[in-house]
Amino acid sequence: MSTFDPDPPAPAVGGNPADQLITIKRFLADRQPAGATGNLTGLLYDIALAGKLISSKTRRAGLTDMLGRSGVTNVQGEEQKSLDVYADQVIAGLLGKSGKVCALVSEEQPEVTVFEDGGPYVVTCDPLDGSSNIDANVSIGTIFGVFRRHDPDNGPTTEDWLRPGSDLVAAGYLLYSTSTMLVYSAGDGVHAFTLDPEAGEFLLTWSDLEFPEDPSYYSFNLAASAHWERGVERFVDWANRDDTPTMSQRYIGSAVSDFHRNLLHGGIFAYPGTDEEPAGKLRLLYEGAPLAYLAEQAGGRGSDSRESLLDLVPTDIHQRTPVFVGARGLVERLEAFVAGPDGD
Ligand code: P6P
């Protein structure tokens, strides 16, 4: 992982400090594989633009009418916040006009949005994940995944979006927190950019991020532990022992924030299934699979406690799944406890 000097970069001798600032546009262009059409690069840049617009609204939510509820309940049965609606509209509007996207799966829309004369990609997204935290000014995020459509000459069909995360060609998230970050992978490592609000540019902060070997956190909502399958409880018991890696329990209640902190400092995020909701709360297509893709690109793993989230084929665009994602060693240990003699 190449680190970003938090101090303003010293001017290269006789050089220009700007030479040390790598914008996302320049990074995407530098990393674009030979022979690429530039469509994926352009799509990622459009997503970065959506992130700037959403960031601007979230930063001022308390000063405008954006904090409140929209009065609309989405397909999940969750009451949409005004910022949810805004984020969904921005993403659909930008991607719909990009000429790069033929279909969009959004948490906020009951059905897939198909764009006429769309381009080669299908995007899945949670426009604003963690929105239940908005009123409390807790960090929230946008999660996205990108598939390449199967047949560019015929209208997109369900086979273009009801597919395993192993088909993803890119995935990432925006994190709206003390700063706004964009973290993505297009199959060549995980890279993180910080928005400079004055310049209006995402600047490279870390490239080729990997989960640290020594884990520091486990992110489970322990209040629900009585309802988990036994193996998950046994993992938490193991994590709390004195003779295992010393980890702190941190749970923000915003998957992007929990994932991001664990990516930087080492750890595992979990939203297990329960006896009442065996599939858990998070959705496979636009939460579990994109986070699992990023985890795998950073040397980690994403699982439903038995198999990789990237191997699951959804039958419905809003299908839920248990999610255990983060450092590979911790996820595999969790799976071993679940598979163990009295795992269930
Ligand atoms: P709970 C936010 O609403 C979210 O979808 C995820 O970002 C987060 O990890 C989870 O739900 C928190 O759910 O039930 O612990 O509040």
PDB file of all heavy atoms in Angstrom, residues 78 107 126 128-133 141 143 220-221 224 251-258 269-271 281-283 287, ligand 1:
ATOM      1  N   GLU A  78     -38.752   0.115   3.941  1.00  0.00           N
ATOM      2  CA  GLU A  78     -38.063   1.113   4.773  1.00  0.00           C
ATOM      3  C   GLU A  78     -38.497   2.517   4.348  1.00  0.00           C
ATOM      4  O   GLU A  78     -38.677   2.772   3.164  1.00  0.00           O
ATOM      5  CB  GLU A  78     -36.540   0.961   4.579  1.00  0.00           C
ATOM      6  CG  GLU A  78     -35.993  -0.362   5.060  1.00  0.00           C
ATOM      7  CD  GLU A  78     -34.617  -0.683   4.456  1.00  0.00           C
ATOM      8  OE1 GLU A  78     -34.200   0.015   3.506  1.00  0.00           O
ATOM      9  OE2 GLU A  78     -33.985  -1.639   4.931  1.00  0.00           O
ATOM     10  N   GLU A 107     -31.384  -0.001  -4.782  1.00  0.00           N
ATOM     11  CA  GLU A 107     -32.138  -0.379  -3.585  1.00  0.00           C
ATOM     12  C   GLU A 107     -33.447   0.402  -3.513  1.00  0.00           C
ATOM     13  O   GLU A 107     -34.446  -0.066  -2.987  1.00  0.00           O
ATOM     14  CB  GLU A 107     -31.329  -0.100  -2.316  1.00  0.00           C
ATOM     15  CG  GLU A 107     -32.097  -0.487  -1.054  1.00  0.00           C
ATOM     16  CD  GLU A 107     -31.434   0.006   0.226  1.00  0.00           C
ATOM     17  OE1 GLU A 107     -30.906   1.126   0.232  1.00  0.00           O
ATOM     18  OE2 GLU A 107     -31.446  -0.765   1.193  1.00  0.00           O
ATOM     19  N   ASP A 126     -26.564   0.744  -3.969  1.00  0.00           N
ATOM     20  CA  ASP A 126     -27.313   1.224  -2.815  1.00  0.00           C
ATOM     21  C   ASP A 126     -26.985   2.711  -2.759  1.00  0.00           C
ATOM     22  O   ASP A 126     -25.906   3.081  -2.309  1.00  0.00           O
ATOM     23  CB  ASP A 126     -26.851   0.490  -1.550  1.00  0.00           C
ATOM     24  CG  ASP A 126     -27.658   0.938  -0.338  1.00  0.00           C
ATOM     25  OD1 ASP A 126     -28.446   1.907  -0.464  1.00  0.00           O
ATOM     26  OD2 ASP A 126     -27.503   0.332   0.741  1.00  0.00           O
ATOM     27  N   LEU A 128     -27.718   5.291  -0.992  1.00  0.00           N
ATOM     28  CA  LEU A 128     -27.279   5.880   0.273  1.00  0.00           C
ATOM     29  C   LEU A 128     -27.462   4.832   1.373  1.00  0.00           C
ATOM     30  O   LEU A 128     -28.532   4.670   1.931  1.00  0.00           O
ATOM     31  CB  LEU A 128     -28.064   7.148   0.590  1.00  0.00           C
ATOM     32  CG  LEU A 128     -27.320   8.158   1.466  1.00  0.00           C
ATOM     33  CD1 LEU A 128     -26.011   8.588   0.830  1.00  0.00           C
ATOM     34  CD2 LEU A 128     -28.168   9.385   1.725  1.00  0.00           C
ATOM     35  N   ASP A 129     -26.372   4.120   1.655  1.00  0.00           N
ATOM     36  CA  ASP A 129     -26.448   3.043   2.651  1.00  0.00           C
ATOM     37  C   ASP A 129     -26.214   3.629   4.042  1.00  0.00           C
ATOM     38  O   ASP A 129     -25.325   4.455   4.240  1.00  0.00           O
ATOM     39  CB  ASP A 129     -25.362   2.011   2.343  1.00  0.00           C
ATOM     40  CG  ASP A 129     -25.372   0.906   3.379  1.00  0.00           C
ATOM     41  OD1 ASP A 129     -26.271   0.072   3.345  1.00  0.00           O
ATOM     42  OD2 ASP A 129     -24.498   0.939   4.276  1.00  0.00           O
ATOM     43  N   GLY A 130     -27.037   3.194   4.972  1.00  0.00           N
ATOM     44  CA  GLY A 130     -26.865   3.687   6.342  1.00  0.00           C
ATOM     45  C   GLY A 130     -27.722   4.901   6.617  1.00  0.00           C
ATOM     46  O   GLY A 130     -27.502   5.628   7.579  1.00  0.00           O
ATOM     47  N   SER A 131     -28.727   5.116   5.757  1.00  0.00           N
ATOM     48  CA  SER A 131     -29.477   6.388   5.870  1.00  0.00           C
ATOM     49  C   SER A 131     -30.222   6.517   7.200  1.00  0.00           C
ATOM     50  O   SER A 131     -30.580   7.610   7.597  1.00  0.00           O
ATOM     51  CB  SER A 131     -30.452   6.537   4.705  1.00  0.00           C
ATOM     52  OG  SER A 131     -31.280   5.407   4.632  1.00  0.00           O
ATOM     53  N   SER A 132     -30.382   5.385   7.913  1.00  0.00           N
ATOM     54  CA  SER A 132     -31.033   5.506   9.234  1.00  0.00           C
ATOM     55  C   SER A 132     -30.141   6.316  10.176  1.00  0.00           C
ATOM     56  O   SER A 132     -30.569   6.757  11.232  1.00  0.00           O
ATOM     57  CB  SER A 132     -31.283   4.108   9.821  1.00  0.00           C
ATOM     58  OG  SER A 132     -30.053   3.382   9.867  1.00  0.00           O
ATOM     59  N   ASN A 133     -28.877   6.517   9.778  1.00  0.00           N
ATOM     60  CA  ASN A 133     -27.953   7.272  10.644  1.00  0.00           C
ATOM     61  C   ASN A 133     -27.918   8.765  10.325  1.00  0.00           C
ATOM     62  O   ASN A 133     -27.242   9.531  11.014  1.00  0.00           O
ATOM     63  CB  ASN A 133     -26.525   6.724  10.452  1.00  0.00           C
ATOM     64  CG  ASN A 133     -26.389   5.309  10.959  1.00  0.00           C
ATOM     65  OD1 ASN A 133     -26.630   5.037  12.114  1.00  0.00           O
ATOM     66  ND2 ASN A 133     -26.033   4.380  10.063  1.00  0.00           N
ATOM     67  N   GLY A 141     -22.864   5.996   3.233  1.00  0.00           N
ATOM     68  CA  GLY A 141     -22.114   5.710   2.007  1.00  0.00           C
ATOM     69  C   GLY A 141     -22.982   5.328   0.831  1.00  0.00           C
ATOM     70  O   GLY A 141     -24.191   5.121   0.965  1.00  0.00           O
ATOM     71  N   ILE A 143     -22.855   2.404  -2.282  1.00  0.00           N
ATOM     72  CA  ILE A 143     -22.160   1.180  -2.702  1.00  0.00           C
ATOM     73  C   ILE A 143     -22.554   0.874  -4.137  1.00  0.00           C
ATOM     74  O   ILE A 143     -23.734   1.024  -4.504  1.00  0.00           O
ATOM     75  CB  ILE A 143     -22.536  -0.019  -1.801  1.00  0.00           C
ATOM     76  CG1 ILE A 143     -22.365   0.324  -0.318  1.00  0.00           C
ATOM     77  CG2 ILE A 143     -21.692  -1.250  -2.143  1.00  0.00           C
ATOM     78  CD1 ILE A 143     -22.907  -0.749   0.622  1.00  0.00           C
ATOM     79  N   PHE A 220     -19.737  -6.541  14.863  1.00  0.00           N
ATOM     80  CA  PHE A 220     -20.977  -7.337  14.959  1.00  0.00           C
ATOM     81  C   PHE A 220     -21.921  -6.583  15.876  1.00  0.00           C
ATOM     82  O   PHE A 220     -21.479  -6.026  16.900  1.00  0.00           O
ATOM     83  CB  PHE A 220     -20.689  -8.695  15.607  1.00  0.00           C
ATOM     84  CG  PHE A 220     -19.890  -9.670  14.782  1.00  0.00           C
ATOM     85  CD1 PHE A 220     -18.671  -9.341  14.248  1.00  0.00           C
ATOM     86  CD2 PHE A 220     -20.374 -10.958  14.576  1.00  0.00           C
ATOM     87  CE1 PHE A 220     -17.922 -10.254  13.514  1.00  0.00           C
ATOM     88  CE2 PHE A 220     -19.638 -11.892  13.838  1.00  0.00           C
ATOM     89  CZ  PHE A 220     -18.412 -11.531  13.312  1.00  0.00           C
ATOM     90  N   ASN A 221     -23.220  -6.605  15.573  1.00  0.00           N
ATOM     91  CA  ASN A 221     -24.199  -5.996  16.486  1.00  0.00           C
ATOM     92  C   ASN A 221     -24.532  -7.024  17.567  1.00  0.00           C
ATOM     93  O   ASN A 221     -25.461  -7.833  17.412  1.00  0.00           O
ATOM     94  CB  ASN A 221     -25.458  -5.597  15.708  1.00  0.00           C
ATOM     95  CG  ASN A 221     -26.484  -4.933  16.633  1.00  0.00           C
ATOM     96  OD1 ASN A 221     -26.242  -4.787  17.830  1.00  0.00           O
ATOM     97  ND2 ASN A 221     -27.623  -4.559  16.074  1.00  0.00           N
ATOM     98  N   ALA A 224     -27.879  -8.590  18.926  1.00  0.00           N
ATOM     99  CA  ALA A 224     -28.703  -9.595  18.219  1.00  0.00           C
ATOM    100  C   ALA A 224     -28.151 -11.003  18.414  1.00  0.00           C
ATOM    101  O   ALA A 224     -28.668 -11.972  17.849  1.00  0.00           O
ATOM    102  CB  ALA A 224     -28.746  -9.259  16.726  1.00  0.00           C
ATOM    103  N   TYR A 251     -18.938  -1.150  16.028  1.00  0.00           N
ATOM    104  CA  TYR A 251     -20.094  -1.348  15.140  1.00  0.00           C
ATOM    105  C   TYR A 251     -20.774  -0.003  14.948  1.00  0.00           C
ATOM    106  O   TYR A 251     -21.359   0.535  15.873  1.00  0.00           O
ATOM    107  CB  TYR A 251     -21.074  -2.357  15.740  1.00  0.00           C
ATOM    108  CG  TYR A 251     -22.206  -2.744  14.814  1.00  0.00           C
ATOM    109  CD1 TYR A 251     -22.023  -3.700  13.823  1.00  0.00           C
ATOM    110  CD2 TYR A 251     -23.463  -2.148  14.927  1.00  0.00           C
ATOM    111  CE1 TYR A 251     -23.055  -4.061  12.970  1.00  0.00           C
ATOM    112  CE2 TYR A 251     -24.499  -2.499  14.078  1.00  0.00           C
ATOM    113  CZ  TYR A 251     -24.293  -3.457  13.096  1.00  0.00           C
ATOM    114  OH  TYR A 251     -25.317  -3.809  12.255  1.00  0.00           O
ATOM    115  N   ILE A 252     -20.622   0.560  13.728  1.00  0.00           N
ATOM    116  CA  ILE A 252     -21.139   1.908  13.479  1.00  0.00           C
ATOM    117  C   ILE A 252     -22.609   1.859  13.063  1.00  0.00           C
ATOM    118  O   ILE A 252     -23.362   2.796  13.236  1.00  0.00           O
ATOM    119  CB  ILE A 252     -20.294   2.602  12.390  1.00  0.00           C
ATOM    120  CG1 ILE A 252     -18.831   2.736  12.855  1.00  0.00           C
ATOM    121  CG2 ILE A 252     -20.848   3.965  12.025  1.00  0.00           C
ATOM    122  CD1 ILE A 252     -17.881   3.263  11.798  1.00  0.00           C
ATOM    123  N   GLY A 253     -22.993   0.690  12.464  1.00  0.00           N
ATOM    124  CA  GLY A 253     -24.367   0.606  11.947  1.00  0.00           C
ATOM    125  C   GLY A 253     -24.463   1.207  10.557  1.00  0.00           C
ATOM    126  O   GLY A 253     -25.544   1.521  10.072  1.00  0.00           O
ATOM    127  N   SER A 254     -23.311   1.363   9.924  1.00  0.00           N
ATOM    128  CA  SER A 254     -23.238   1.828   8.530  1.00  0.00           C
ATOM    129  C   SER A 254     -22.192   0.943   7.872  1.00  0.00           C
ATOM    130  O   SER A 254     -20.991   1.077   8.143  1.00  0.00           O
ATOM    131  CB  SER A 254     -22.816   3.308   8.523  1.00  0.00           C
ATOM    132  OG  SER A 254     -22.679   3.771   7.210  1.00  0.00           O
ATOM    133  N   ALA A 255     -22.661   0.027   7.012  1.00  0.00           N
ATOM    134  CA  ALA A 255     -21.769  -1.032   6.504  1.00  0.00           C
ATOM    135  C   ALA A 255     -20.524  -0.466   5.826  1.00  0.00           C
ATOM    136  O   ALA A 255     -19.417  -0.985   6.018  1.00  0.00           O
ATOM    137  CB  ALA A 255     -22.539  -1.924   5.531  1.00  0.00           C
ATOM    138  N   VAL A 256     -20.702   0.630   5.068  1.00  0.00           N
ATOM    139  CA  VAL A 256     -19.546   1.194   4.360  1.00  0.00           C
ATOM    140  C   VAL A 256     -18.491   1.666   5.358  1.00  0.00           C
ATOM    141  O   VAL A 256     -17.299   1.416   5.219  1.00  0.00           O
ATOM    142  CB  VAL A 256     -19.984   2.362   3.440  1.00  0.00           C
ATOM    143  CG1 VAL A 256     -18.793   3.125   2.890  1.00  0.00           C
ATOM    144  CG2 VAL A 256     -20.832   1.828   2.289  1.00  0.00           C
ATOM    145  N   SER A 257     -18.956   2.332   6.427  1.00  0.00           N
ATOM    146  CA  SER A 257     -18.008   2.844   7.437  1.00  0.00           C
ATOM    147  C   SER A 257     -17.306   1.698   8.152  1.00  0.00           C
ATOM    148  O   SER A 257     -16.097   1.730   8.349  1.00  0.00           O
ATOM    149  CB  SER A 257     -18.767   3.700   8.461  1.00  0.00           C
ATOM    150  OG  SER A 257     -19.533   4.677   7.812  1.00  0.00           O
ATOM    151  N   ASP A 258     -18.069   0.676   8.526  1.00  0.00           N
ATOM    152  CA  ASP A 258     -17.457  -0.475   9.219  1.00  0.00           C
ATOM    153  C   ASP A 258     -16.473  -1.184   8.302  1.00  0.00           C
ATOM    154  O   ASP A 258     -15.361  -1.537   8.697  1.00  0.00           O
ATOM    155  CB  ASP A 258     -18.539  -1.446   9.704  1.00  0.00           C
ATOM    156  CG  ASP A 258     -19.226  -0.962  10.995  1.00  0.00           C
ATOM    157  OD1 ASP A 258     -18.512  -0.501  11.913  1.00  0.00           O
ATOM    158  OD2 ASP A 258     -20.472  -1.025  11.073  1.00  0.00           O
ATOM    159  N   PHE A 269     -16.463  -7.390   9.274  1.00  0.00           N
ATOM    160  CA  PHE A 269     -17.810  -6.830   9.475  1.00  0.00           C
ATOM    161  C   PHE A 269     -18.813  -7.946   9.247  1.00  0.00           C
ATOM    162  O   PHE A 269     -18.651  -8.777   8.328  1.00  0.00           O
ATOM    163  CB  PHE A 269     -18.079  -5.681   8.501  1.00  0.00           C
ATOM    164  CG  PHE A 269     -19.542  -5.346   8.358  1.00  0.00           C
ATOM    165  CD1 PHE A 269     -20.223  -4.687   9.362  1.00  0.00           C
ATOM    166  CD2 PHE A 269     -20.249  -5.758   7.236  1.00  0.00           C
ATOM    167  CE1 PHE A 269     -21.577  -4.413   9.246  1.00  0.00           C
ATOM    168  CE2 PHE A 269     -21.609  -5.489   7.108  1.00  0.00           C
ATOM    169  CZ  PHE A 269     -22.264  -4.817   8.119  1.00  0.00           C
ATOM    170  N   ALA A 270     -19.851  -7.968  10.078  1.00  0.00           N
ATOM    171  CA  ALA A 270     -20.850  -9.039   9.910  1.00  0.00           C
ATOM    172  C   ALA A 270     -22.255  -8.501  10.077  1.00  0.00           C
ATOM    173  O   ALA A 270     -22.517  -7.657  10.940  1.00  0.00           O
ATOM    174  CB  ALA A 270     -20.618 -10.130  10.956  1.00  0.00           C
ATOM    175  N   TYR A 271     -23.143  -8.992   9.210  1.00  0.00           N
ATOM    176  CA  TYR A 271     -24.564  -8.856   9.462  1.00  0.00           C
ATOM    177  C   TYR A 271     -25.161 -10.257   9.315  1.00  0.00           C
ATOM    178  O   TYR A 271     -25.552 -10.659   8.227  1.00  0.00           O
ATOM    179  CB  TYR A 271     -25.269  -7.847   8.551  1.00  0.00           C
ATOM    180  CG  TYR A 271     -26.541  -7.346   9.198  1.00  0.00           C
ATOM    181  CD1 TYR A 271     -26.601  -6.105   9.786  1.00  0.00           C
ATOM    182  CD2 TYR A 271     -27.665  -8.182   9.290  1.00  0.00           C
ATOM    183  CE1 TYR A 271     -27.749  -5.674  10.440  1.00  0.00           C
ATOM    184  CE2 TYR A 271     -28.807  -7.765   9.939  1.00  0.00           C
ATOM    185  CZ  TYR A 271     -28.840  -6.519  10.526  1.00  0.00           C
ATOM    186  OH  TYR A 271     -29.962  -6.104  11.185  1.00  0.00           O
ATOM    187  N   LYS A 281     -30.234  -8.962   6.721  1.00  0.00           N
ATOM    188  CA  LYS A 281     -30.815  -7.675   6.288  1.00  0.00           C
ATOM    189  C   LYS A 281     -30.201  -7.158   4.984  1.00  0.00           C
ATOM    190  O   LYS A 281     -30.890  -6.547   4.174  1.00  0.00           O
ATOM    191  CB  LYS A 281     -30.601  -6.631   7.386  1.00  0.00           C
ATOM    192  CG  LYS A 281     -31.007  -5.216   7.015  1.00  0.00           C
ATOM    193  CD  LYS A 281     -30.733  -4.240   8.147  1.00  0.00           C
ATOM    194  CE  LYS A 281     -31.199  -2.824   7.813  1.00  0.00           C
ATOM    195  NZ  LYS A 281     -30.877  -1.863   8.892  1.00  0.00           N
ATOM    196  N   LEU A 282     -28.924  -7.382   4.782  1.00  0.00           N
ATOM    197  CA  LEU A 282     -28.236  -6.760   3.648  1.00  0.00           C
ATOM    198  C   LEU A 282     -28.570  -7.477   2.344  1.00  0.00           C
ATOM    199  O   LEU A 282     -28.864  -8.673   2.324  1.00  0.00           O
ATOM    200  CB  LEU A 282     -26.718  -6.743   3.887  1.00  0.00           C
ATOM    201  CG  LEU A 282     -26.269  -6.012   5.157  1.00  0.00           C
ATOM    202  CD1 LEU A 282     -24.762  -5.853   5.176  1.00  0.00           C
ATOM    203  CD2 LEU A 282     -26.951  -4.674   5.303  1.00  0.00           C
ATOM    204  N   ARG A 283     -28.538  -6.717   1.246  1.00  0.00           N
ATOM    205  CA  ARG A 283     -28.902  -7.261  -0.052  1.00  0.00           C
ATOM    206  C   ARG A 283     -27.655  -7.728  -0.775  1.00  0.00           C
ATOM    207  O   ARG A 283     -26.597  -7.110  -0.713  1.00  0.00           O
ATOM    208  CB  ARG A 283     -29.621  -6.175  -0.874  1.00  0.00           C
ATOM    209  CG  ARG A 283     -31.124  -6.006  -0.606  1.00  0.00           C
ATOM    210  CD  ARG A 283     -31.548  -5.710   0.817  1.00  0.00           C
ATOM    211  NE  ARG A 283     -30.880  -4.595   1.418  1.00  0.00           N
ATOM    212  CZ  ARG A 283     -31.534  -3.599   2.051  1.00  0.00           C
ATOM    213  NH1 ARG A 283     -32.835  -3.606   2.088  1.00  0.00           N
ATOM    214  NH2 ARG A 283     -30.862  -2.626   2.625  1.00  0.00           N
ATOM    215  N   GLU A 287     -25.011  -4.752  -2.008  1.00  0.00           N
ATOM    216  CA  GLU A 287     -24.257  -4.567  -0.762  1.00  0.00           C
ATOM    217  C   GLU A 287     -23.245  -5.712  -0.587  1.00  0.00           C
ATOM    218  O   GLU A 287     -22.042  -5.505  -0.638  1.00  0.00           O
ATOM    219  CB  GLU A 287     -25.213  -4.487   0.451  1.00  0.00           C
ATOM    220  CG  GLU A 287     -26.041  -3.199   0.460  1.00  0.00           C
ATOM    221  CD  GLU A 287     -27.176  -3.217   1.483  1.00  0.00           C
ATOM    222  OE1 GLU A 287     -27.888  -4.225   1.591  1.00  0.00           O
ATOM    223  OE2 GLU A 287     -27.352  -2.188   2.172  1.00  0.00           O
TER     224      GLU A 287
HETATM  225  P1  P6P B   1     -28.866  -2.563  12.175  1.00  0.00           P
HETATM  226  C1  P6P B   1     -27.866   0.521   7.274  1.00  0.00           C
HETATM  227  O1  P6P B   1     -29.276   0.682   7.370  1.00  0.00           O
HETATM  228  C2  P6P B   1     -27.582  -0.930   6.958  1.00  0.00           C
HETATM  229  O2  P6P B   1     -28.207  -1.304   5.777  1.00  0.00           O
HETATM  230  C3  P6P B   1     -26.081  -1.155   6.885  1.00  0.00           C
HETATM  231  O3  P6P B   1     -25.370  -0.081   6.397  1.00  0.00           O
HETATM  232  C4  P6P B   1     -25.713  -1.443   8.316  1.00  0.00           C
HETATM  233  O4  P6P B   1     -24.565  -2.240   8.441  1.00  0.00           O
HETATM  234  C5  P6P B   1     -26.957  -2.168   8.830  1.00  0.00           C
HETATM  235  O5  P6P B   1     -28.059  -1.714   8.037  1.00  0.00           O
HETATM  236  C6  P6P B   1     -27.228  -1.834  10.281  1.00  0.00           C
HETATM  237  O6  P6P B   1     -28.405  -2.526  10.623  1.00  0.00           O
HETATM  238  O7  P6P B   1     -30.027  -3.542  12.201  1.00  0.00           O
HETATM  239  O8  P6P B   1     -27.689  -3.039  12.975  1.00  0.00           O
HETATM  240  O9  P6P B   1     -29.243  -1.139  12.508  1.00  0.00           O
END
